[in-house]
């Protein structure tokens, strides 16, 4: 039962992060709203990644009887968020931009695609 609560909480952080991230990617950068939404996006992504680490991999191989390949995306997020934030704060906009694109692609699109594969919880919710 705990797994289900974690899954709902994880989804509750990923969905707004997806919409905020999409908005941030297509809109003008450096504005006050970009900065505010960017911080919210980063916080949601961090919470989502940390939450996912408590969710046991249920398909495929496991490490330590818990972690699966999809958890590598959580580690990616935990690396990219602080480095992107530091890059923005220190004026390294090129690095900030590349990290944020990597965060969106890896942390949301690719990991999200894996979440919809057969045998995974989201696939069961939506397609069965």
């Amino acid at each position: 039962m705990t797994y289900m609560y974690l899954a709902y909480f994880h989804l509750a952080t990923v969905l707004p992060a997806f919409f905020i991230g999409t908005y941030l990617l297509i809109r003008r950068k450096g504005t006050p709203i970009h900065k505010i939404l960017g911080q919210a996006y980063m916080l949601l992504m961090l919470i989502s990644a940390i939450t996912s680490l408590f969710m046991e991999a249920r398909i495929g191989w496991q490490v330590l009887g818990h972690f699966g390949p999809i958890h590598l995306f959580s580690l990616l997020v935990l690396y990219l968020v602080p480095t992107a934030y530091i890059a923005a704060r220190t004026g390294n906009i090129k690095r900030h931009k590349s990290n944020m694109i990597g965060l969106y692609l890896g942390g949301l699109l690719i990991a999200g695609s894996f979440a919809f594969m057969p045998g995974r919880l989201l696939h069961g919710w939506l397609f069965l």
Side-chain angles (χ1 to χ4, degrees):
M1 190 56 131
T2 302
Y3 184 84
M4 292 301 290
Y5 291 123
L6 286 171
Y8 285 125
F9 185 75
H10 180 69
L11 197 57
T13 59
V14 169
L15 286 177
F18 173 76
F19 290 111
I20 293 170
T22 303
Y23 176 84
L24 291 170
L25 283 175
I26 62 176
R27 298 298 302 202
R28 187 166 170 247
K29 313 298 184 268
T31 63
I33 192 74
H34 174 88
K35 293 175 183 179
I36 291 167
L37 287 176
Q39 289 176 356
Y41 172 70
M42 288 183 176
L43 183 61
L44 285 167
M45 290 299 290
L46 282 174
I47 293 169
S48 178
I50 292 166
T51 301
S52 72
L53 292 174
F54 291 97
M55 298 170 66
E56 177 184 344
R58 295 195 167 182
I59 63 170
W61 54 270
Q62 291 183 339
V63 175
L64 302 175
H66 180 86
F67 300 104
I70 201 162
H71 287 103
L72 293 173
F73 291 103
S74 302
L75 299 177
L76 177 71
V77 169
L78 294 174
Y79 169 75
L80 287 176
V81 168
T83 57
Y85 180 79
I86 292 167
R89 297 291 294 173
T90 58
N92 189 345
I93 302 306
K94 183 177 179 179
R95 181 170 187 189
H96 172 73
K97 181 180 177 180
S98 67
N99 284 1
M100 294 308 290
I101 291 171
L103 178 63
Y104 186 82
L105 291 176
L108 286 172
L109 296 185
I110 297 172
S113 296
F114 284 124
F116 287 101
M117 292 178 67
R120 306 224 16 124
L121 188 61
L122 279 179
H123 183 271
W125 285 352
L126 296 175
F127 302 114
L128 295 179

